[in-house]
Amino acid sequence: MTAESSSTFHHKLETLVRQIYPDHEVETLAEELAEAFWPEGTTRRRRGRVPGNRQWSERDALVITYGNSIVDGQHKPLDLLRHFLHTHLSGVVNGVHILPFFPWTSDDGFAVTDYRAVNPVLGDWSDIQRIGSEFLLMSDLVLNHVSSSSAWFNAYRQGHEPYDKFFFEASPDDDLSDVVRPRTHPLLREVNTSRGIRHVWCTFSHDQVDLDFRNPEVLKEFLRVMRLHVDNGVRIIRLDAVAFIWKQIGTKSIHMPQTHAIVRLMRLFADFASESIILLTETNVPNAENLSYFGNRNEAHAVYNFSLPPLVLHAMLSGTAKNLIRWQGSMPPAQLGCAYLNFTASHDGIGMRPAEGILTPEDTGEVVQKMKDFGGRVSMRALPGGGEAPYELNITWFEAMKGTFAGEDAHQVERFLASQSLVMALEGIPAFYIHSLLATPNDQDGVEKSGHNRAINRHRWDYEELHGLLEDPSTTQHQVLEEMRRRIGIRRRQRAFHPNATQFTLQLDHRIFGLWRQSLDRDQSIFALHNVSADALEIDAMAINLIDGEDWVDLLSGETIRPDGGPIPFAPYQCRWITNRG
């Protein structure tokens, strides 16, 4: 396969522009969009990258964190984060997603006031550049909305060009009943402007005002912001809330054709960038809708595996992997040039929409109730035509592992580690929220102080206190982080765990979530077996077809496993990665 030429670039760009903005002069607008991303002084590749599997490897793993998840009241939080990464995760995790590090007014960074500045409370661009030079750095392109206190929105209210056409307006008389909502507040917010009363669209909150991508000036501005990120060392661009960016009255206003075309345009620019850029879409929606953002190998390089967290949670609570196995067995392998980002916890809650059609309403109800029992909260969304449904569960993942449907028990650490080992074994790139690595408990004080459910999972650790806990072998924080370091370290040395290595879902005991992984060169096989129950159990070695004559070893325990050795025992929540190439 040959790389795409510059002439192909122009043809594809103009085709996309025609799809998105058919009423504009296509050639001129295409050139203006390209100049927004490649201003004077930057260069474009003569040929675009072709889809492949060399943009990532088994050595890749990310930590997700806020810039101020660790503080001490003296040093810049970004300096403390860098110190933590080097001290505790060096040689284990090679990438970091620093959640929005810009000035903001609400939603812990996702109501941005200035896309071109680093929040001075955290540090400055030099701190971002330093981390980007040492780790694979991911940042957020918060596309859908800006803060109602931003310069852009203030200029809109005053009627200043070009911002007077930057925000999506609607009328209270419009039929908005089909709009897909992630929240329960009224969709429209009334505001005073120099042109009189206007009603602006607010998908997520009234402090987060939606932009109007029907105006190409909005897209140009975000391409300039994207360039700023790249110039400062960012190599993974997370397209936040991208599914909602194009609105049309009388439709669901989610996953619109123009939205997919905009993602394809950004992918085209990434493929022709001299820097190696990965696009990751954040679409917390049912599984088939989420997978649509791979396109035909021409949209996102990677998508969040959003169905994974609620299904792993249900498996751990119920002690059966039946739903997880059935879902994983039907999941397509990522196309060439694409990858899944696998996770259980993030800065947001555990999204329940991606489990729709997989878990029954009864299953979901049981999960919701148990999370409440374990100190969690539930955030709701409005349904078309009225009513509400659980949108996400707000709880730290470690606390979610406190017990099962039967109640709390003594297996919290083992259960937690099993849930994370399972994620490490799956096809894709693993990502770990910092509060999972640190076994952070629910921050109930944060919820009470902020009034927001998501604060329960956004604790800020005092670095001195955290350091003391991590130095003490008797603490849960020390035990969890050390074992996570060990298992991630083992994983990154196995070629069969390449993000695109062959994967087959095994049908064994319903309490075992099992995968067969095989390296791209077919030299290494791993049978990754995870007991999701509190039961001690056995499986027959013959059931996993270990090739006779090979030396098989469990990477996690170091035990030799004989193909003809009879039953393989599993303690409660024990995981085994059995390989022929240790």
Side-chain angles (χ1 to χ4, degrees), residues 207-279:
D207 186 42
Q208 294 165 293
V209 188
D210 286 32
L211 293 151
D212 190 352
F213 276 85
R214 295 175 303 178
N215 177 2
E217 294 302 319
V218 174
L219 179 56
K220 288 180 196 176
E221 192 61 29
F222 275 104
L223 291 173
R224 295 183 188 106
V225 173
M226 187 172 165
R227 165 52 57 188
L228 177 67
H229 287 217
V230 171
D231 287 346
N232 280 281
V234 172
R235 291 298 175 263
I236 305 178
I237 304 290
R238 178 183 184 268
L239 304 181
D240 178 66
V242 65
F244 299 95
I245 63 173
W246 196 278
K247 289 88 174 165
Q248 184 174 323
I249 305 299
T251 73
K252 294 182 178 181
S253 293
I254 187 172
H255 314 313
M256 299 294 285
Q258 295 90 339
T259 296
H260 284 281
I262 288 172
V263 176
R264 289 197 294 274
L265 184 148
M266 290 181 167
R267 171 64 180 265
L268 181 65
F269 283 15
D271 286 345
F272 274 85
S274 57
E275 306 85 359
S276 179
I277 301 171
I278 294 172
L279 293 183

Side-chain angles (χ1 to χ4, degrees), residues 247-512:
K247 289 88 174 165
Q248 184 174 323
I249 305 299
T251 73
K252 294 182 178 181
S253 293
I254 187 172
H255 314 313
M256 299 294 285
Q258 295 90 339
T259 296
H260 284 281
I262 288 172
V263 176
R264 289 197 294 274
L265 184 148
M266 290 181 167
R267 171 64 180 265
L268 181 65
F269 283 15
D271 286 345
F272 274 85
S274 57
E275 306 85 359
S276 179
I277 301 171
I278 294 172
L279 293 183
L280 170 69
T281 48
E282 187 267 332
T283 51
N284 191 357
V285 293
N287 195 49
E289 298 172 34
N290 184 42
L291 296 182
S292 72
Y293 284 86
F294 278 140
N296 185 22
R297 302 189 306 175
N298 59 356
E299 293 190 31
H301 295 89
V303 301
Y304 281 88
N305 206 343
F306 271 115
S307 294
L308 190 60
L311 294 180
V312 173
L313 177 61
H314 180 266
M316 294 296 166
L317 292 173
S318 65
T320 176
K322 286 180 180 178
N323 290 316
L324 189 60
I325 292 167
R326 184 174 67 252
W327 165 76
Q328 186 58 59
S330 67
M331 281 287 282
Q335 304 170 68
L336 185 66
C338 300
Y340 294 107
L341 188 77
N342 296 321
F343 72 111
T344 55
S346 73
H347 61 292
D348 289 339
I350 301 165
M352 295 308 293
R353 285 210 69 205
E356 291 176 6
I358 306 171
L359 296 180
T360 66
E362 292 75 21
D363 290 333
T364 298
E366 279 192 283
V367 171
V368 168
Q369 183 56 54
K370 192 50 59 178
M371 292 303 96
K372 291 180 179 178
D373 294 344
F374 293 167
R377 312 293 176 100
V378 180
S379 295
M380 308 298 286
R381 68 182 181 94
L383 296 175
E388 296 180 351
Y391 177 69
E392 67 180 19
L393 309 176
N394 303 111
I395 189 170
T396 72
W397 189 265
F398 187 71
E399 293 281 56
M401 297 291 101
K402 187 178 288 185
T404 68
F405 287 145
E408 297 184 23
D409 58 28
H411 294 298
Q412 184 175 12
V413 171
E414 293 84 356
R415 186 180 294 111
F416 169 83
L417 292 170
S419 73
Q420 303 308 294
S421 301
L422 184 159
V423 169
M424 294 182 211
L426 278 169
E427 174 196 344
I429 302 165
F432 307 96
Y433 189 35
I434 191 169
H435 291 305
S436 292
L437 294 173
L438 299 176
T440 304
N442 290 332
D443 190 345
Q444 302 290 3
D445 288 343
V447 175
E448 296 304 320
K449 290 176 182 177
S450 69
H452 298 293
N453 287 347
R454 285 178 168 178
I456 201 170
N457 192 28
R458 297 177 177 180
H459 181 67
R460 293 179 185 173
W461 278 102
D462 175 80
Y463 202 14
E464 184 177 353
E465 176 193 2
L466 178 61
H467 180 74
L469 292 170
L470 294 177
E471 289 293 305
D472 183 352
S474 69
T475 66
T476 303
Q477 281 67 39
H478 174 95
Q479 294 163 11
V480 165
L481 182 59
E482 286 305 303
E483 185 59 18
M484 287 291 288
R485 281 169 43 87
R486 188 181 80 88
R487 296 190 187 195
I488 299 169
I490 291 170
R491 180 198 181 278
R492 72 194 308 264
R493 297 192 295 271
Q494 314 308 318
R495 287 173 290 116
F497 282 149
H498 185 284
N500 299 120
T502 297
Q503 176 172 288
F504 184 78
T505 307
L506 303 176
Q507 303 293 327
L508 302 166
D509 187 300
H510 70 92
R511 295 164 293 181
I512 295 285

Side-chain angles (χ1 to χ4, degrees), residues 516-577:
W516 173 62
R517 303 293 310 276
Q518 186 181 59
S519 59
L520 295 172
D521 62 7
R522 299 189 178 185
D523 187 53
Q524 183 186 32
S525 286
I526 295 178
F527 293 91
L529 311 173
H530 313 88
N531 183 4
V532 302
S533 77
D535 301 331
L537 54 88
E538 296 178 338
I539 65 167
D540 193 325
M542 298 292 289
I544 57 174
N545 298 320
L546 300 181
I547 299 173
D548 200 13
E550 297 268 12
D551 294 325
W552 295 90
V553 63
D554 176 5
L555 292 165
L556 295 178
S557 70
E559 297 172 72
T560 298
I561 306 294
R562 294 177 53 83
D564 58 352
I568 302 172
F570 285 80
Y573 301 104
Q574 183 175 2
C575 302
R576 293 185 182 274
W577 294 344

